Amino acid sequence: MKFDKPVKTGNEAITAPVLLLVEGQDEEYLVQKMCEQWFGQRAEKIDIECVGGKDNFPKRFRVLKVRSLGPLKVVGVIADSEEDAAATAQRWAQLFKDVEPSIKRPCKKLQLPRDDAAGAFEALVLDAWTGDPIADCAINFRDCVSPHLGERTLAKKDKIAVQAWLSAKLGNAYGNVFKAQDRHPEHQLVNYDHTAFAPIKAFIETLLAEAEAGVTKS
C-alpha cells in the first residue's frame, strides 16, 4: 500500500484523544505502522503529525494554543536529541511550560535515541539491524568516510549508514526508510518488535493510558 496520507499543516481541528508530533514523514510512516502492529484498534485513538523538520517543531507546538482541540486528552512529542541531548531537553521543558497552561492538556516528550545520548531516530534503526552483515558493512562505511565529511552531526552520519544499507539491500538509492518501504511493500525493512523500538512502544502506551483515563489539567 502506498503512503499517500496528506501532510497536515497544523491548522486542522484535532480529532483524536492522542496527538503525537514527529519530525518528518519517515518517522510518521514508521511510527504509524508500529502503532498498528502494537496496539491494533487502539491505534485509531492516535493522530500522528509530522512537522516537516526539526526547525518547525517549536512553531507547530505553540500553534496548539489556537487550534481546535476537540477530543484531545494528551500531547506527545518524539524528538531527536541531536548533538546536545541536555539542551534539547531544556528547550522542550520551556516549550511545555509555555503551552501546557493554555491547552490544559499534559504534554510528554520522548528523545531519540535516549534522553542522555546524542543522535536521532536513525540510531534505533541501525540498532534494529544489529547482526545483519549488510548493516555491519554500512556502519563500517559510515565510520570510514566520516573523517572526510567535514562538520556533520551524529544523526547525519547515522543517516549515511541507513542509506548505504538500503542501497545495498534493495539495489537502489533511497534517502530514508520511509521511501524505501513505500517502494518495496513486499519487504518489511524494519522489525517493529525489536527491542530497539521498545522505548517508543512504552512511550505511546503511556499516552494511550492517559487518554483512556481521561486525564486533563484543571
Side-chain angles (χ1 to χ4, degrees):
M1 180 181 295
K2 295 296 183 182
F3 184 71
D4 55 3
K5 181 180 177 181
V7 176
K8 293 189 175 183
T9 63
N11 297 321
E12 302 89 348
I14 297 171
T15 59
V18 176
L19 176 64
L20 183 59
L21 300 180
V22 299
E23 181 177 321
Q25 202 172 25
D26 194 9
E27 291 91 340
E28 180 185 16
Y29 175 84
L30 292 175
V31 172
Q32 181 67 51
K33 292 298 182 184
M34 290 172 180
C35 287
E36 291 170 0
Q37 179 164 316
W38 294 334
F39 304 116
Q41 289 187 337
R42 293 176 75 203
E44 297 176 2
K45 301 177 181 179
I46 307 168
D47 192 359
I48 304 173
E49 295 182 9
C50 75
V51 303
K54 65 178 182 178
D55 294 336
N56 293 328
F57 255 133
K59 179 180 178 181
R60 177 67 72 88
F61 188 70
R62 290 192 179 99
V63 165
L64 290 172
K65 294 192 288 187
V66 295
R67 286 182 71 176
S68 176
L69 301 181
L72 182 67
K73 299 296 183 184
V74 60
V75 180
V77 175
I78 297 179
D80 294 335
S81 288
E82 299 298 336
E83 289 301 280
D84 189 335
T88 297
Q90 181 60 32
R91 285 196 300 272
W92 278 108
Q94 290 298 321
L95 284 167
F96 285 178
K97 186 177 180 180
D98 174 44
V99 173
E100 277 189 322
S102 298
I103 67 172
K104 295 182 173 61
R105 271 76 168 176
C107 300
K108 298 183 178 295
K109 166 190 62 68
L110 175 69
Q111 281 181 218
L112 302 178
R114 301 193 312 273
D115 283 350
D116 59 351
F121 179 76
E122 285 76 15
L124 302 186
V125 174
L126 292 175
D127 189 12
W129 287 338
T130 297
D132 183 304
I134 297 176
D136 292 341
C137 290
I139 291 169
N140 288 336
F141 171 73
R142 175 203 64 188
D143 295 342
C144 180
V145 300
S146 288
H148 308 285
L149 297 176
E151 294 297 322
R152 298 286 184 99
T153 65
L154 180 59
K156 289 181 178 178
K157 291 176 181 177
D158 283 347
K159 186 168 290 188
I160 288 172
V162 170
Q163 291 169 348
W165 185 92
L166 293 170
S167 297
K169 185 76 171 179
L170 302 173
N172 289 292
Y174 295 100
N176 54 49
V177 179
F178 152 67
K179 291 180 181 178
Q181 187 68 81
D182 189 50
R183 299 293 193 281
H184 296 273
E186 72 278 11
H187 297 297
Q188 183 174 344
L189 300 177
V190 177
N191 175 15
Y192 306 137
D193 289 324
H194 192 279
T195 56
F197 303 116
I200 298 178
K201 183 177 182 180
F203 176 68
I204 297 174
E205 175 62 51
T206 297
L207 299 177
L208 281 169
E210 290 211 20
E212 290 164 351
V215 176
T216 57
K217 290 192 172 185
S218 59

